[in-house]
Every structure is written in structure tokens, then in C-alpha cells.
Amino acid sequence: MSGVLAIMEQRGGAWNRMSWETLVAGQQLAKQTGVAASAAVVGQDIAALADELAHKKLERVYAVGHELLAAYTADGYTAALEQLIRKAAPSIVLFPHTYQVRDFAPKLATRFGQVLISDAVGFRVDSGAPVFVRQLFQGKLNADVTPGGGEPHFASLQAGAFRADQVEEGAAQVENFAPSLSAETIRAKPLEPFRESARAVDLTAADIIVSVGRGIKEKENIPIVEELAKALGAELAASRPICDSGWLPMERQVGSSGQTVSPKVYMAIGISGAIQHLVGMKGAKTIVAINKDANAPIFEVADYGIVGDLFEIVPALVEEVKKAKG
Ligand SMILES: Cc1cc2nc3c(=O)[nH]c(=O)nc-3n(C[C@H](O)[C@H](O)[C@H](O)COP(=O)(O)OP(=O)(O)OC[C@H]3O[C@@H](n4cnc5c(N)ncnc54)[C@H](O)[C@@H]3O)c2cc1C
């Protein structure tokens, strides 16, 4: 292997937090295979971001700057990164598995006659070469994926698969890379980015969160967990399917596409513990899980687990909390 290149994601000068997870994956893969890790940041006016990367344990930081990269377009990013990768010649290119990466990275990989190994949750090194792990069937199976064909290989990493706080500090050389781009080859005309309306509920400030999942079965049953939240003085939250179904508002969703919370107590009720949910709540100090399936992945992160039917357990808990409060 000749090197690992982590492609960082930024918008308007602010990092996407998943970029740091990708950087950690890049540093770890490089270490385990005995090669150097480098990173690239793409955009316009990116000197400050490149300088920040220069303080990480990397061989080189590529600042890929151009006025046509000021706003994201698949054509612009693909062309710029193709030129960079041909020059830097890494063996492996890693990306955070963001919506933006899903948009352009398969096209970029195709330019090299490769595919994108997408949404990997980890890797191991087998005879000096990486084997990526991908989840199938909603996380019920893990598949080993060995990159085939010639280098470079391309992989994107699932949110939360690596810990951003494990970035190794160091010193790296910054290299400005000016790709050759022309406006005619960029077919998309970016408009103002979509902005979410301000959130009415700030779950991040809650000490106790009672969170409900698909185990609740129907909307009419939500008051059962709402009662528990009320009794505990907790905020009510939910897994994505509950919000997607409109049973609770989107602003109460916890997970990779919802809020990231770290309360003192997080109660996961009828939630299986898919990785996209875990990344939003595994920072809680104490996790309590109620699930009728003893093998549900949520029990792997839970400090306290109750295996049983939430429709029996939650009302009993409400009674006990009320009694304890007098
Ligand atoms: C790009 C992407 C982003 C995503 N973002 C998010 C996100 O931000 N947040 C999120 O939560 N998910 C997210 N998901 C979805 C995620 O993959 C899971 O599908 C989702 O978290 C599952 O929700 P759940 O645990 O409520 O449902 P399920 O996985 O269906 O689990 C229901 C659980 O309830 C238990 N149960 C059933 N009946 C009872 C009972 N009577 N008593 C007790 N337990 C019972 C079952 O044993 C099961 O474990 C995302 C997925 C993708 C692809």
C-alpha cells in the first residue's frame, strides 16, 4: 500500500463532524498497514481548515481550492478529486458516508474503474490489506468486503463507526492543489442550501430522556411512554421510524439524522439499537433499555437492561416513580 487519503467534508468553512471520524479511520488504517495517512479539504478559502489539519498526525494535507468549488457540485468535486488522486496516488481513499459523498463518490470511483465500498462500519487488516465490514439486512449480518482490482480503492464510513475524539495530533505539511476546472463542465447550478427551521425542542439540554421506538407499535400507544417521561420530568424522544411516521415531530428524533444527545439518563424503550440510533445517544452517562428481544443490539450499550414487554413494564415503572415521589 502506498498511502491512505481521507477526504474531509466542509460547508461554508465549518467541518462536518463525520470528517474527523474519517480522519481517525485513515490514521488507524495507515498505522496498521505501515503507510502514511494524508487528508484533503476541498472548497474555496480553505486555508484555515487546512491549517487546522496541519496539526494532525498526517504526512500531507492537500488544500484543493478553486472558485468553482465554492459551492458543492458533483461535477466539480469529481473532477477536482480525480486530479488530486491521480497526482497523490493513494492506495485507499476514505470518505465520511454523508449525503454529499453518496452523491459524487460512486462517480469518482468509476473514473478509476472502481466501485465505492459504501457505509462501512469498520475494517480489519488481513495480510497487510484492508477488509471492510458492511452491515446487511438492517444490521443483522456483517459482510466482509475485500477491495478488488487495482488501486486506488474507495470506501465511505458510517456515522459513529469511528470516534472523532481519537484523532492523533502531530504536524503535517500543507500542499495547495489547484485543479484545472472550467465552468462549462459543471452542469449543476447550486442554489441556496436548504435550512432547517429553528428547533423548538432542544434535547441536548435534557438531563433525562425517555426515547421510544417501533416496539410501541402504534401512535395511539405513545401516551404510555409519555406518562413515564412526565413522571420522571424527562424529555420525550424517538427513533427515526416513529418520527418518519409522524407519531412524534422530527425535532424529537435521536440519531445520525436527528439530534445527538448526552443526558445523564437515556431510556430506550422498544428501540432495537441500530447504529444510526446509537451514534446519537451512546454518549449518555447511563443507558436503560427495555426490549422484549434479549439479543437486541441496544443491550450492548445499555448499563441496565430489562428484557420484557414494554406494555407491562412501562406502566409499572410509572406507578413506582409516582409512589417514590409521594
Ligand atoms: C441514512 C440513515 C439514517 C438513519 N438515521 C436514523 C436516526 O437518526 N435515528 C434512528 O433512530 N434511526 C435512524 N435510521 C434508521 C435505523 O437504521 C433503524 O431502522 C431505526 O433506528 C430502527 O428504529 P427502532 O429501533 O425504533 O425499530 P426496530 O429496529 O424495528 O426495533 C423495534 C424494537 O422494539 C422491540 N419490541 C417490539 N415489541 C416490543 C414490546 N412489546 N416490548 C419491548 N420491546 C419491543 C423489538 O424487539 C425491536 O428491538 C437511519 C437509517 C438510515 C439508512
Side-chain angles (χ1 to χ4, degrees):
M1 284 190 40
S2 61
V4 179
L5 178 64
I7 309 294
M8 306 288 284
E9 184 170 312
Q10 61 91 22
R11 184 177 293 174
W15 293 114
N16 179 318
R17 68 185 164 85
M18 282 168 67
S19 294
W20 297 111
E21 300 173 7
T22 305
L23 195 73
V24 168
Q27 287 180 329
Q28 292 180 359
L29 181 56
K31 193 184 256 179
Q32 289 175 37
T33 50
V35 298
S38 296
V41 52
V42 182
Q44 194 190 18
D45 299 329
I46 46 174
L49 296 171
D51 278 350
E52 197 179 342
L53 286 175
H55 295 97
K56 308 300 168 198
K57 190 177 174 201
L58 293 166
E59 184 183 59
R60 202 169 293 257
V61 172
Y62 296 102
V64 185
H66 197 288
E67 58 183 20
L68 291 173
L69 298 171
Y72 165 77
T73 60
D75 286 335
Y77 269 51
T78 304
L81 285 172
E82 180 185 358
Q83 292 170 35
L84 175 71
I85 292 166
R86 294 210 185 278
K87 175 185 176 288
S91 312
I92 302 268
V93 184
L94 297 178
F95 307 87
H97 191 68
T98 60
Y99 289 108
Q100 188 169 293
V101 163
R102 276 175 246 190
D103 190 46
F104 78 89
K107 171 179 159 108
L108 175 63
T110 307
R111 296 268 171 105
F112 293 84
Q114 282 291 6
V115 294
L116 173 72
I117 299 172
S118 61
D119 210 16
V121 294
F123 61 77
R124 58 190 167 73
V125 174
D126 206 354
S127 311
V131 176
F132 290 93
V133 181
R134 293 186 74 237
Q135 294 191 315
L136 306 177
F137 301 114
Q138 300 270 2
K140 289 192 172 57
L141 287 181
N142 277 355
D144 282 350
V145 183
T146 307
E151 294 175 346
H153 302 298
F154 297 82
S156 66
L157 302 164
Q158 192 170 90
F162 291 85
R163 289 189 45 182
D165 59 1
Q166 290 179 348
V167 172
E168 282 194 69
E169 303 295 317
Q173 201 187 326
V174 176
E175 183 174 327
N176 291 314
F177 180 80
S180 141
L181 300 175
S182 63
E184 312 79 71
T185 57
I186 297 179
R187 293 166 295 174
K189 300 285 167 254
L191 301 176
E192 267 298 292
F194 168 76
R195 262 182 220 283
E196 270 181 77
S197 55
R199 282 184 171 131
V201 181
D202 184 11
L203 294 177
T204 58
D207 274 347
I208 309 176
I209 292 179
V210 169
S211 193
V212 58
R214 199 144 51 180
I216 198 72
K217 295 197 169 53
E218 45 194 60
K219 185 180 184 185
E220 287 60 41
N221 294 333
I222 297 277
I224 297 172
V225 280
E226 217 163 9
E227 272 290 292
L228 180 61
K230 250 189 238 156
L232 290 168
E235 278 289 352
L236 189 61
S239 65
R240 179 164 162 172
I242 301 298
C243 300
D244 278 352
S245 310
W247 298 356
L248 283 175
M250 286 294 179
E251 60 206 20
R252 295 203 179 265
Q253 181 181 316
V254 168
S256 58
S257 46
Q259 297 201 46
T260 302
V261 297
S262 47
K264 288 185 181 147
V265 180
Y266 187 89
M267 296 190 73
I269 301 177
I271 293 178
S272 58
I275 182 81
Q276 296 90 352
H277 189 81
L278 297 185
V279 296
M281 46 64 78
K282 65 187 178 191
K285 290 209 172 54
T286 303
I287 298 171
V288 182
I290 303 173
N291 198 303
K292 68 175 186 187
D293 175 7
N295 295 317
I298 192 74
F299 288 124
E300 283 165 30
V301 298
D303 301 285
Y304 299 94
I306 306 171
V307 179
D309 186 349
L310 74 89
F311 295 102
E312 289 170 23
I313 295 161
V314 175
L317 271 177
V318 172
E319 279 314 303
E320 288 304 316
V321 173
K322 283 184 180 162
K323 259 191 237 163
K325 282 186 161 173

